[in-house]
Amino acid sequence: MRLRTPLALLGAAVLLLLGPPLLSTGSGAETGTQIPGLRFMVPNTPGGGYDITARTAAKNAEDAGLTPNVEVFNLPGAGGTVGLTRLVSEHGNGKLAMSMGLGVVGAVRSNHAPKTLADTTPIARLTEEQDVVVVAKDSPYKTIDDLVDAWKADPGKLPVGGGSSPGGPDHLAPMLMARAAGIAPKEVNYIPFDGGGELLASILGNKVAFGVSGVGEYLDQIKAGELRLLAVTGPERVDGLDAPTLQEAGYDVNFTNWRGIVAPPGLSDAERDKLVRLIEELHDSPEWQKSLKQNGWDDAFLTGEKFGAFLDAQDQRVVSVLKELGL
């Protein structure tokens, strides 16, 4: 007993000395954002917008000490609806979330998917960004007018690629662009790819005449000179990029995309609130704010029920635009 008692006292003293720092390491322990085993599903291939968003969010959350070892995995297929079906099947799983956006909204409609975003738990809208109109560096089209002139001459012979299914942002943007240029949307030869990563190879290989995708997906390739940027689809030029808006170029198009996070159905209030709190803390972190600027993303933060109402409105928007375009 004489030997054990001093050792026990020494052990208790060590625990008292080490305990406070261990409990206070990282802001996650203090704010209740720690979700051990959290996984982010990406419903398309690596290199696309959902993938970049999920991997950026995971790394930023770890670097900010909000939650450890977030796993990101890809489950591509059918414009994101394969991943959506998997998410909905994970009823009550508070350790799973999915990166998504307008493309999934459109894919649900165009693929007549059995599960919809109304079956999920809305967590947050994160970003908004413009689409870019790009061609390979050796393309004959030097300006947006060069491209549109050739496109108008024979729409079917100039395939346009996008990283989303019909009804998604990379489909709607060129359709609106075609209409503004006097081309019937039904004449457009649109080739869908399962994310911006797949699309990139086809643009660089001149398998499509031009591509339309999110600015953050191709920012590096544009700056490296691998892709030639002809125009952006939003209301203002993108800082650091030398290209006009479509409106500046004389085409009446003002179009932006967005991305967010949803979770499985059937979460408890505590599980849902913890996910929302994690994303709120992520949004406020210096790490995330820096990533917004680096990727050319606009902050479009919206959480919970307000995000759910936004999703409903976006579904109606897709239906309306497709009907308006005769598609």
Side-chain angles (χ1 to χ4, degrees), residues 18-252:
L18 294 179
L22 288 174
L23 289 173
S24 62
T25 299
S27 60
E30 299 164 4
T31 59
T33 61
Q34 299 279 348
I35 307 177
L38 178 63
R39 306 174 78 207
F40 280 163
M41 183 198 304
V42 177
N44 61 11
T45 54
Y50 302 151
D51 188 69
I52 294 171
T53 301
R55 294 183 190 279
T56 300
K59 185 177 187 306
N60 288 170
E62 292 173 2
D63 290 347
L66 299 176
T67 195
N69 304 321
V70 181
E71 178 189 350
V72 180
F73 69 100
N74 298 77
L75 186 62
T81 56
V82 170
L84 175 61
T85 300
R86 163 72 180 277
L87 186 81
V88 174
S89 74
E90 294 275 348
H91 190 277
N93 185 352
K95 296 179 181 292
L96 180 65
M98 186 177 84
S99 174
M100 49 72 70
L102 180 57
V104 176
V105 179
V108 166
R109 285 289 177 178
S110 61
N111 294 327
H112 306 288
K115 301 298 181 182
T116 74
L117 289 164
D119 297 312
T120 70
T121 300
I123 301 300
R125 184 184 68 189
L126 291 174
T127 64
E128 185 177 39
E129 71 171 343
Q130 304 195 40
D131 267 1
V132 291
V133 181
V134 291
V135 296
K137 63 181 180 182
D138 58 350
S139 168
Y141 309 118
K142 308 294 185 184
T143 68
I144 188 65
D145 286 334
D146 291 342
L147 173 64
V148 171
D149 287 345
W151 199 20
K152 289 172 70 174
D154 197 341
K157 285 191 176 180
L158 263 72
V160 50
S164 60
S165 297
D170 300 350
H171 171 250
L172 295 178
M175 293 301 165
L176 292 169
M177 180 177 156
R179 185 182 66 175
I183 301 168
K186 287 185 177 181
E187 294 181 7
V188 174
N189 181 8
Y190 177 76
I191 300 176
F193 294 84
D194 204 353
E198 285 189 0
L199 170 62
L200 178 61
S202 289
I203 300 172
L204 294 175
N206 292 306
K207 294 181 180 178
V208 294
F210 66 105
V212 177
S213 195
V215 61
E217 294 175 71
Y218 293 160
L219 197 57
D220 290 343
Q221 290 80 9
I222 292 169
K223 290 185 175 180
E226 297 174 13
L227 293 175
R228 181 183 300 143
L229 175 61
L230 301 184
V232 297
T233 65
E236 298 178 353
R237 291 192 177 209
V238 175
D239 288 343
L241 297 181
D242 184 19
T245 67
L246 286 172
Q247 287 184 327
E248 275 185 78
Y251 308 101
D252 188 16

Side-chain angles (χ1 to χ4, degrees), residues 278-297:
L278 169 62
I279 302 304
E280 286 176 339
E281 291 290 327
L282 170 68
H283 169 261
D284 292 341
S285 71
E287 290 84 355
W288 179 254
Q289 292 301 316
K290 181 179 179 181
S291 293
L292 289 176
K293 293 179 181 178
Q294 288 178 336
N295 288 289
W297 295 336

Side-chain angles (χ1 to χ4, degrees), residues 248-286:
E248 275 185 78
Y251 308 101
D252 188 16
V253 176
N254 182 351
F255 182 87
T256 55
N257 185 17
W258 57 268
R259 296 192 180 95
I261 294 174
V262 293
L267 301 191
S268 68
D269 289 348
E271 288 172 323
R272 182 198 62 215
D273 292 347
K274 195 165 193 177
L275 275 169
V276 171
R277 188 160 59 248
L278 169 62
I279 302 304
E280 286 176 339
E281 291 290 327
L282 170 68
H283 169 261
D284 292 341
S285 71

